[in-house]
Amino acid sequence: MRRSLLSPVACRVADTLIARGHHGLILTQSTPTHTALDAARALGVDVGAITKSLVFLLDDEPVLLLVSGAHQVDVSNTGARLEGKLTRAPADLVRAVTGQPIGGVAPVGHPTNLPTWVDNALSAHREVWAAGGHPNTIFRTSFRELVRITAGLAIDMD
């Protein structure tokens, strides 16, 4: 993929990936992949290998949860693991803290570093896929690399 074809937001994600030691290759899909199921179908992979980048409020602070496409976050259990009250962030806050549209939020490339937790369920897959900052972009990585490039902590989110 030629860099000039990526949106400015996806270019920022690619630059961040490269700065953190990832190859930085972001693929552009012919149609938007707003959901984990859309992305899995487009790539021909198991939905559990898709990484959903979800912004929540832990008490009143925004945090990023990187969740397997096969999971829904149990806010009670996950909040208890994170030692606070976990609630879904409103869309305007998601856009403000990530600089990216919902349906395309990448694990990296945000204006500020969000505290990040990574779903242990992603470790069951040799390769995992995450949005590249725009609803029709995606990149490949591994669970171990995802934890490293986000400085995230691995936890169970069910």
Side-chain angles (χ1 to χ4, degrees), residues 18-48:
I18 291 166
R20 294 183 183 180
H22 183 275
H23 54 69
L25 178 65
I26 295 180
L27 303 175
T28 301
Q29 305 288 31
S30 58
T31 58
T33 52
H34 290 286
T35 69
L37 190 54
D38 291 341
R41 286 181 180 151
L43 293 165
V45 300
D46 184 83
V47 71

PDB file of all heavy atoms in Angstrom, residues 18-48:
ATOM      1  N   ILE A  18       5.604   2.263  13.516  1.00  0.00           N
ATOM      2  CA  ILE A  18       7.013   2.182  13.120  1.00  0.00           C
ATOM      3  C   ILE A  18       7.918   2.671  14.252  1.00  0.00           C
ATOM      4  O   ILE A  18       8.938   2.040  14.563  1.00  0.00           O
ATOM      5  CB  ILE A  18       7.248   2.972  11.813  1.00  0.00           C
ATOM      6  CG1 ILE A  18       6.551   2.248  10.650  1.00  0.00           C
ATOM      7  CG2 ILE A  18       8.741   3.151  11.539  1.00  0.00           C
ATOM      8  CD1 ILE A  18       6.416   3.073   9.390  1.00  0.00           C
ATOM      9  N   ALA A  19       7.545   3.767  14.884  1.00  0.00           N
ATOM     10  CA  ALA A  19       8.336   4.301  15.991  1.00  0.00           C
ATOM     11  C   ALA A  19       8.439   3.314  17.153  1.00  0.00           C
ATOM     12  O   ALA A  19       9.402   3.346  17.913  1.00  0.00           O
ATOM     13  CB  ALA A  19       7.737   5.623  16.481  1.00  0.00           C
ATOM     14  N   ARG A  20       7.462   2.422  17.244  1.00  0.00           N
ATOM     15  CA  ARG A  20       7.458   1.441  18.342  1.00  0.00           C
ATOM     16  C   ARG A  20       7.971   0.071  17.895  1.00  0.00           C
ATOM     17  O   ARG A  20       7.786  -0.923  18.594  1.00  0.00           O
ATOM     18  CB  ARG A  20       6.047   1.346  18.928  1.00  0.00           C
ATOM     19  CG  ARG A  20       5.653   2.661  19.601  1.00  0.00           C
ATOM     20  CD  ARG A  20       4.320   2.615  20.250  1.00  0.00           C
ATOM     21  NE  ARG A  20       3.978   3.930  20.812  1.00  0.00           N
ATOM     22  CZ  ARG A  20       2.861   4.185  21.434  1.00  0.00           C
ATOM     23  NH1 ARG A  20       1.947   3.243  21.605  1.00  0.00           N
ATOM     24  NH2 ARG A  20       2.626   5.402  21.897  1.00  0.00           N
ATOM     25  N   GLY A  21       8.588   0.012  16.715  1.00  0.00           N
ATOM     26  CA  GLY A  21       9.243  -1.214  16.278  1.00  0.00           C
ATOM     27  C   GLY A  21       8.378  -2.184  15.501  1.00  0.00           C
ATOM     28  O   GLY A  21       8.787  -3.314  15.239  1.00  0.00           O
ATOM     29  N   HIS A  22       7.194  -1.775  15.104  1.00  0.00           N
ATOM     30  CA  HIS A  22       6.303  -2.595  14.279  1.00  0.00           C
ATOM     31  C   HIS A  22       6.589  -2.256  12.819  1.00  0.00           C
ATOM     32  O   HIS A  22       7.088  -1.172  12.522  1.00  0.00           O
ATOM     33  CB  HIS A  22       4.846  -2.252  14.647  1.00  0.00           C
ATOM     34  CG  HIS A  22       3.808  -3.056  13.951  1.00  0.00           C
ATOM     35  ND1 HIS A  22       3.336  -2.722  12.707  1.00  0.00           N
ATOM     36  CD2 HIS A  22       3.131  -4.166  14.331  1.00  0.00           C
ATOM     37  CE1 HIS A  22       2.405  -3.592  12.343  1.00  0.00           C
ATOM     38  NE2 HIS A  22       2.264  -4.473  13.313  1.00  0.00           N
ATOM     39  N   HIS A  23       6.252  -3.148  11.892  1.00  0.00           N
ATOM     40  CA  HIS A  23       6.513  -2.868  10.474  1.00  0.00           C
ATOM     41  C   HIS A  23       5.681  -1.713   9.925  1.00  0.00           C
ATOM     42  O   HIS A  23       6.046  -1.088   8.933  1.00  0.00           O
ATOM     43  CB  HIS A  23       6.334  -4.109   9.603  1.00  0.00           C
ATOM     44  CG  HIS A  23       5.015  -4.787   9.750  1.00  0.00           C
ATOM     45  ND1 HIS A  23       3.832  -4.245   9.320  1.00  0.00           N
ATOM     46  CD2 HIS A  23       4.703  -5.979  10.307  1.00  0.00           C
ATOM     47  CE1 HIS A  23       2.834  -5.063   9.585  1.00  0.00           C
ATOM     48  NE2 HIS A  23       3.337  -6.131  10.195  1.00  0.00           N
ATOM     49  N   GLY A  24       4.558  -1.401  10.547  1.00  0.00           N
ATOM     50  CA  GLY A  24       3.769  -0.233  10.175  1.00  0.00           C
ATOM     51  C   GLY A  24       2.921  -0.384   8.931  1.00  0.00           C
ATOM     52  O   GLY A  24       2.355   0.593   8.450  1.00  0.00           O
ATOM     53  N   LEU A  25       2.798  -1.591   8.404  1.00  0.00           N
ATOM     54  CA  LEU A  25       2.004  -1.806   7.195  1.00  0.00           C
ATOM     55  C   LEU A  25       0.518  -1.800   7.545  1.00  0.00           C
ATOM     56  O   LEU A  25       0.045  -2.647   8.314  1.00  0.00           O
ATOM     57  CB  LEU A  25       2.377  -3.131   6.529  1.00  0.00           C
ATOM     58  CG  LEU A  25       1.586  -3.484   5.274  1.00  0.00           C
ATOM     59  CD1 LEU A  25       1.870  -2.482   4.165  1.00  0.00           C
ATOM     60  CD2 LEU A  25       1.931  -4.888   4.818  1.00  0.00           C
ATOM     61  N   ILE A  26      -0.204  -0.848   6.989  1.00  0.00           N
ATOM     62  CA  ILE A  26      -1.648  -0.749   7.190  1.00  0.00           C
ATOM     63  C   ILE A  26      -2.328  -1.058   5.868  1.00  0.00           C
ATOM     64  O   ILE A  26      -1.981  -0.488   4.834  1.00  0.00           O
ATOM     65  CB  ILE A  26      -2.042   0.645   7.705  1.00  0.00           C
ATOM     66  CG1 ILE A  26      -1.454   0.857   9.100  1.00  0.00           C
ATOM     67  CG2 ILE A  26      -3.560   0.803   7.731  1.00  0.00           C
ATOM     68  CD1 ILE A  26      -1.770   2.191   9.720  1.00  0.00           C
ATOM     69  N   LEU A  27      -3.280  -1.973   5.911  1.00  0.00           N
ATOM     70  CA  LEU A  27      -4.024  -2.356   4.721  1.00  0.00           C
ATOM     71  C   LEU A  27      -5.311  -1.555   4.632  1.00  0.00           C
ATOM     72  O   LEU A  27      -5.943  -1.264   5.651  1.00  0.00           O
ATOM     73  CB  LEU A  27      -4.378  -3.843   4.774  1.00  0.00           C
ATOM     74  CG  LEU A  27      -3.216  -4.816   4.934  1.00  0.00           C
ATOM     75  CD1 LEU A  27      -3.744  -6.233   5.084  1.00  0.00           C
ATOM     76  CD2 LEU A  27      -2.257  -4.706   3.772  1.00  0.00           C
ATOM     77  N   THR A  28      -5.688  -1.230   3.421  1.00  0.00           N
ATOM     78  CA  THR A  28      -6.956  -0.551   3.190  1.00  0.00           C
ATOM     79  C   THR A  28      -7.918  -1.548   2.565  1.00  0.00           C
ATOM     80  O   THR A  28      -7.598  -2.173   1.560  1.00  0.00           O
ATOM     81  CB  THR A  28      -6.772   0.658   2.249  1.00  0.00           C
ATOM     82  OG1 THR A  28      -5.837   1.553   2.841  1.00  0.00           O
ATOM     83  CG2 THR A  28      -8.087   1.386   2.026  1.00  0.00           C
ATOM     84  N   GLN A  29      -9.078  -1.700   3.186  1.00  0.00           N
ATOM     85  CA  GLN A  29     -10.123  -2.579   2.677  1.00  0.00           C
ATOM     86  C   GLN A  29     -10.966  -1.815   1.660  1.00  0.00           C
ATOM     87  O   GLN A  29     -11.082  -0.598   1.736  1.00  0.00           O
ATOM     88  CB  GLN A  29     -11.009  -3.081   3.818  1.00  0.00           C
ATOM     89  CG  GLN A  29     -10.269  -3.764   4.927  1.00  0.00           C
ATOM     90  CD  GLN A  29      -9.747  -5.128   4.522  1.00  0.00           C
ATOM     91  OE1 GLN A  29      -9.414  -5.400   3.380  1.00  0.00           O
ATOM     92  NE2 GLN A  29      -9.664  -6.011   5.477  1.00  0.00           N
ATOM     93  N   SER A  30     -11.583  -2.540   0.743  1.00  0.00           N
ATOM     94  CA  SER A  30     -12.419  -1.878  -0.264  1.00  0.00           C
ATOM     95  C   SER A  30     -13.702  -1.306   0.345  1.00  0.00           C
ATOM     96  O   SER A  30     -14.270  -0.357  -0.183  1.00  0.00           O
ATOM     97  CB  SER A  30     -12.756  -2.838  -1.403  1.00  0.00           C
ATOM     98  OG  SER A  30     -13.413  -3.976  -0.896  1.00  0.00           O
ATOM     99  N   THR A  31     -14.149  -1.887   1.439  1.00  0.00           N
ATOM    100  CA  THR A  31     -15.332  -1.373   2.135  1.00  0.00           C
ATOM    101  C   THR A  31     -14.994  -1.206   3.616  1.00  0.00           C
ATOM    102  O   THR A  31     -14.135  -1.923   4.141  1.00  0.00           O
ATOM    103  CB  THR A  31     -16.541  -2.333   2.008  1.00  0.00           C
ATOM    104  OG1 THR A  31     -16.171  -3.595   2.545  1.00  0.00           O
ATOM    105  CG2 THR A  31     -16.969  -2.486   0.558  1.00  0.00           C
ATOM    106  N   PRO A  32     -15.657  -0.287   4.295  1.00  0.00           N
ATOM    107  CA  PRO A  32     -15.385  -0.103   5.725  1.00  0.00           C
ATOM    108  C   PRO A  32     -15.671  -1.377   6.518  1.00  0.00           C
ATOM    109  O   PRO A  32     -16.577  -2.138   6.191  1.00  0.00           O
ATOM    110  CB  PRO A  32     -16.346   1.016   6.132  1.00  0.00           C
ATOM    111  CG  PRO A  32     -16.639   1.750   4.876  1.00  0.00           C
ATOM    112  CD  PRO A  32     -16.616   0.698   3.790  1.00  0.00           C
ATOM    113  N   THR A  33     -14.869  -1.586   7.536  1.00  0.00           N
ATOM    114  CA  THR A  33     -15.065  -2.718   8.439  1.00  0.00           C
ATOM    115  C   THR A  33     -15.363  -2.155   9.820  1.00  0.00           C
ATOM    116  O   THR A  33     -14.505  -2.133  10.683  1.00  0.00           O
ATOM    117  CB  THR A  33     -13.825  -3.641   8.450  1.00  0.00           C
ATOM    118  OG1 THR A  33     -12.659  -2.844   8.701  1.00  0.00           O
ATOM    119  CG2 THR A  33     -13.646  -4.359   7.126  1.00  0.00           C
ATOM    120  N   HIS A  34     -16.588  -1.661   9.991  1.00  0.00           N
ATOM    121  CA  HIS A  34     -16.993  -0.994  11.226  1.00  0.00           C
ATOM    122  C   HIS A  34     -17.080  -1.941  12.411  1.00  0.00           C
ATOM    123  O   HIS A  34     -16.953  -1.508  13.546  1.00  0.00           O
ATOM    124  CB  HIS A  34     -18.355  -0.312  11.044  1.00  0.00           C
ATOM    125  CG  HIS A  34     -18.299   0.877  10.141  1.00  0.00           C
ATOM    126  ND1 HIS A  34     -17.743   2.069  10.518  1.00  0.00           N
ATOM    127  CD2 HIS A  34     -18.725   1.049   8.869  1.00  0.00           C
ATOM    128  CE1 HIS A  34     -17.827   2.928   9.532  1.00  0.00           C
ATOM    129  NE2 HIS A  34     -18.421   2.343   8.515  1.00  0.00           N
ATOM    130  N   THR A  35     -17.318  -3.227  12.168  1.00  0.00           N
ATOM    131  CA  THR A  35     -17.469  -4.167  13.274  1.00  0.00           C
ATOM    132  C   THR A  35     -16.415  -5.258  13.178  1.00  0.00           C
ATOM    133  O   THR A  35     -15.813  -5.481  12.121  1.00  0.00           O
ATOM    134  CB  THR A  35     -18.861  -4.828  13.264  1.00  0.00           C
ATOM    135  OG1 THR A  35     -18.943  -5.693  12.124  1.00  0.00           O
ATOM    136  CG2 THR A  35     -19.981  -3.788  13.234  1.00  0.00           C
ATOM    137  N   ALA A  36     -16.210  -5.961  14.289  1.00  0.00           N
ATOM    138  CA  ALA A  36     -15.270  -7.078  14.301  1.00  0.00           C
ATOM    139  C   ALA A  36     -15.701  -8.154  13.306  1.00  0.00           C
ATOM    140  O   ALA A  36     -14.867  -8.732  12.605  1.00  0.00           O
ATOM    141  CB  ALA A  36     -15.170  -7.653  15.708  1.00  0.00           C
ATOM    142  N   LEU A  37     -16.998  -8.397  13.217  1.00  0.00           N
ATOM    143  CA  LEU A  37     -17.498  -9.405  12.278  1.00  0.00           C
ATOM    144  C   LEU A  37     -17.227  -8.986  10.834  1.00  0.00           C
ATOM    145  O   LEU A  37     -16.807  -9.807  10.013  1.00  0.00           O
ATOM    146  CB  LEU A  37     -18.987  -9.652  12.505  1.00  0.00           C
ATOM    147  CG  LEU A  37     -19.600 -10.836  11.772  1.00  0.00           C
ATOM    148  CD1 LEU A  37     -18.836 -12.127  12.062  1.00  0.00           C
ATOM    149  CD2 LEU A  37     -21.055 -10.987  12.144  1.00  0.00           C
ATOM    150  N   ASP A  38     -17.429  -7.706  10.505  1.00  0.00           N
ATOM    151  CA  ASP A  38     -17.112  -7.196   9.164  1.00  0.00           C
ATOM    152  C   ASP A  38     -15.636  -7.432   8.846  1.00  0.00           C
ATOM    153  O   ASP A  38     -15.284  -7.884   7.756  1.00  0.00           O
ATOM    154  CB  ASP A  38     -17.382  -5.687   9.056  1.00  0.00           C
ATOM    155  CG  ASP A  38     -18.846  -5.306   9.111  1.00  0.00           C
ATOM    156  OD1 ASP A  38     -19.712  -6.181   8.881  1.00  0.00           O
ATOM    157  OD2 ASP A  38     -19.117  -4.124   9.381  1.00  0.00           O
ATOM    158  N   ALA A  39     -14.773  -7.092   9.794  1.00  0.00           N
ATOM    159  CA  ALA A  39     -13.330  -7.243   9.584  1.00  0.00           C
ATOM    160  C   ALA A  39     -12.948  -8.711   9.419  1.00  0.00           C
ATOM    161  O   ALA A  39     -12.161  -9.061   8.536  1.00  0.00           O
ATOM    162  CB  ALA A  39     -12.565  -6.620  10.744  1.00  0.00           C
ATOM    163  N   ALA A  40     -13.509  -9.574  10.259  1.00  0.00           N
ATOM    164  CA  ALA A  40     -13.201 -11.000  10.171  1.00  0.00           C
ATOM    165  C   ALA A  40     -13.622 -11.570   8.820  1.00  0.00           C
ATOM    166  O   ALA A  40     -12.877 -12.334   8.193  1.00  0.00           O
ATOM    167  CB  ALA A  40     -13.881 -11.760  11.310  1.00  0.00           C
ATOM    168  N   ARG A  41     -14.796 -11.203   8.363  1.00  0.00           N
ATOM    169  CA  ARG A  41     -15.276 -11.671   7.054  1.00  0.00           C
ATOM    170  C   ARG A  41     -14.382 -11.185   5.921  1.00  0.00           C
ATOM    171  O   ARG A  41     -14.034 -11.934   5.017  1.00  0.00           O
ATOM    172  CB  ARG A  41     -16.711 -11.218   6.820  1.00  0.00           C
ATOM    173  CG  ARG A  41     -17.720 -11.995   7.624  1.00  0.00           C
ATOM    174  CD  ARG A  41     -19.130 -11.518   7.343  1.00  0.00           C
ATOM    175  NE  ARG A  41     -20.094 -12.274   8.132  1.00  0.00           N
ATOM    176  CZ  ARG A  41     -21.248 -11.798   8.547  1.00  0.00           C
ATOM    177  NH1 ARG A  41     -21.613 -10.557   8.239  1.00  0.00           N
ATOM    178  NH2 ARG A  41     -22.061 -12.544   9.266  1.00  0.00           N
ATOM    179  N   ALA A  42     -14.008  -9.908   5.978  1.00  0.00           N
ATOM    180  CA  ALA A  42     -13.167  -9.332   4.923  1.00  0.00           C
ATOM    181  C   ALA A  42     -11.793 -10.001   4.868  1.00  0.00           C
ATOM    182  O   ALA A  42     -11.225 -10.176   3.790  1.00  0.00           O
ATOM    183  CB  ALA A  42     -13.019  -7.831   5.140  1.00  0.00           C
ATOM    184  N   LEU A  43     -11.268 -10.392   6.020  1.00  0.00           N
ATOM    185  CA  LEU A  43      -9.941 -10.996   6.086  1.00  0.00           C
ATOM    186  C   LEU A  43      -9.965 -12.516   6.009  1.00  0.00           C
ATOM    187  O   LEU A  43      -8.910 -13.131   5.835  1.00  0.00           O
ATOM    188  CB  LEU A  43      -9.253 -10.580   7.389  1.00  0.00           C
ATOM    189  CG  LEU A  43      -8.910  -9.107   7.510  1.00  0.00           C
ATOM    190  CD1 LEU A  43      -8.570  -8.751   8.947  1.00  0.00           C
ATOM    191  CD2 LEU A  43      -7.757  -8.767   6.575  1.00  0.00           C
ATOM    192  N   GLY A  44     -11.134 -13.113   6.189  1.00  0.00           N
ATOM    193  CA  GLY A  44     -11.230 -14.568   6.206  1.00  0.00           C
ATOM    194  C   GLY A  44     -10.591 -15.178   7.445  1.00  0.00           C
ATOM    195  O   GLY A  44      -9.960 -16.235   7.371  1.00  0.00           O
ATOM    196  N   VAL A  45     -10.741 -14.503   8.598  1.00  0.00           N
ATOM    197  CA  VAL A  45     -10.178 -15.001   9.852  1.00  0.00           C
ATOM    198  C   VAL A  45     -11.290 -15.167  10.887  1.00  0.00           C
ATOM    199  O   VAL A  45     -12.400 -14.662  10.716  1.00  0.00           O
ATOM    200  CB  VAL A  45      -9.087 -14.056  10.411  1.00  0.00           C
ATOM    201  CG1 VAL A  45      -7.936 -13.907   9.417  1.00  0.00           C
ATOM    202  CG2 VAL A  45      -9.636 -12.696  10.790  1.00  0.00           C
ATOM    203  N   ASP A  46     -10.959 -15.834  11.967  1.00  0.00           N
ATOM    204  CA  ASP A  46     -11.881 -16.007  13.076  1.00  0.00           C
ATOM    205  C   ASP A  46     -12.148 -14.654  13.737  1.00  0.00           C
ATOM    206  O   ASP A  46     -11.219 -13.855  13.913  1.00  0.00           O
ATOM    207  CB  ASP A  46     -11.271 -16.978  14.090  1.00  0.00           C
ATOM    208  CG  ASP A  46     -12.211 -17.281  15.229  1.00  0.00           C
ATOM    209  OD1 ASP A  46     -13.077 -18.155  15.057  1.00  0.00           O
ATOM    210  OD2 ASP A  46     -12.101 -16.610  16.284  1.00  0.00           O
ATOM    211  N   VAL A  47     -13.379 -14.385  14.102  1.00  0.00           N
ATOM    212  CA  VAL A  47     -13.732 -13.104  14.717  1.00  0.00           C
ATOM    213  C   VAL A  47     -12.945 -12.868  16.011  1.00  0.00           C
ATOM    214  O   VAL A  47     -12.657 -11.727  16.376  1.00  0.00           O
ATOM    215  CB  VAL A  47     -15.262 -12.975  14.934  1.00  0.00           C
ATOM    216  CG1 VAL A  47     -15.750 -13.889  16.048  1.00  0.00           C
ATOM    217  CG2 VAL A  47     -15.661 -11.528  15.186  1.00  0.00           C
ATOM    218  N   GLY A  48     -12.533 -13.928  16.678  1.00  0.00           N
ATOM    219  CA  GLY A  48     -11.743 -13.791  17.897  1.00  0.00           C
ATOM    220  C   GLY A  48     -10.364 -13.218  17.671  1.00  0.00           C
ATOM    221  O   GLY A  48      -9.721 -12.735  18.600  1.00  0.00           O
TER     222      GLY A  48
END
